[in-house]
Amino acid sequence: MPTTLTKIAVAAICFCLSSSIQAGRAYGADFIAAAGKGAYGLSLNYPGAGIKYYLSDNFALELKGQADADVKVGGLRLYDHFFTSDRLYLFWGLEADYIDYKGTASRGAGGAGELFCGFEYFISPAVSLQADFGPAYIYLKDRHDPVTVNGIEYVTNFAFTVYFGGLKSGEGNWLLSLI
């Protein structure tokens, strides 16, 4: 019997594949995405936010934070865009996180490392939707007891990003491209 996590992972993969196929068909030849060297973006993900900066046209760094009632996660992501078209960017990357948690019976901290792949689809030149999926190694240690937990979990991320800057000279104003 598949677990809920397995069902979510399969649904995320199907969503990513079908969206990638549809996005590849939908792009226009005159579309110029704002993401590229020097661009930065503010992203919203559930349940948190991030700041992304493009080091070059293919590599980006993102400082990301997420918080829930009992768990806080902060981390850094590195993206490598191995395929780009006008509206669709395919990428893989690495993520490293610090985790702080407080449960009913324990309290502690730990870390996570993730390898992920996914896509970013631009719905306008400065606004994108992003989805990625991958395995993450998670390590947690209780603060008061000598108890540790570690293992591999599969993680899915979705984000909505608004970009600023990054347009090459003569290609237009980023503010006008939001429309």
Side-chain angles (χ1 to χ4, degrees):
M1 183 72 130
T3 64
T4 302
L5 184 59
T6 304
K7 290 177 184 177
I8 292 172
V10 169
I13 290 170
C14 291
F15 173 77
C16 289
L17 290 175
S18 66
S19 295
S20 297
I21 291 167
Q22 293 301 322
R25 293 179 183 167
Y27 78 91
D30 59 346
F31 190 94
I32 300 168
K37 184 176 182 178
Y40 61 93
L42 301 175
S43 64
L44 295 176
N45 58 62
Y46 181 77
I51 299 172
K52 185 187 281 188
Y53 179 75
Y54 275 81
L55 303 168
S56 70
D57 286 342
N58 292 333
F59 292 98
L61 280 176
E62 181 178 23
L63 185 62
K64 182 174 146 180
Q66 295 177 312
D68 200 355
D70 299 328
V71 179
K72 293 171 185 64
V73 179
L76 185 66
R77 298 181 121 206
L78 172 66
Y79 295 86
D80 176 12
H81 296 87
F82 62 87
F83 173 80
T84 59
S85 72
D86 292 334
R87 290 187 184 230
L88 181 67
Y89 288 21
L90 299 180
F91 60 81
W92 74 274
L94 301 169
E95 178 175 353
D97 296 309
Y98 173 77
I99 303 168
D100 185 64
Y101 70 92
K102 179 182 178 185
T104 56
S106 66
R107 181 180 191 154
E114 180 184 2
L115 175 66
F116 58 88
C117 64
F119 72 92
E120 186 168 15
Y121 178 72
F122 285 84
I123 55 177
S124 85
V127 178
S128 73
L129 298 173
Q130 175 180 323
D132 59 70
F133 174 79
Y137 175 76
I138 301 172
Y139 174 84
L140 300 174
K141 182 178 183 330
D142 191 280
R143 286 194 179 126
H144 304 293
D145 296 320
V147 177
T148 62
V149 176
N150 62 60
I152 295 180
E153 298 289 334
Y154 290 92
V155 178
T156 303
N157 292 291
F158 297 99
F160 173 81
T161 306
V162 177
Y163 286 97
F164 304 92
L167 287 175
K168 286 136 182 99
S169 62
E171 291 180 349
N173 183 327
W174 68 267
L175 187 58
L176 295 176
S177 67
L178 286 172
I179 302 172

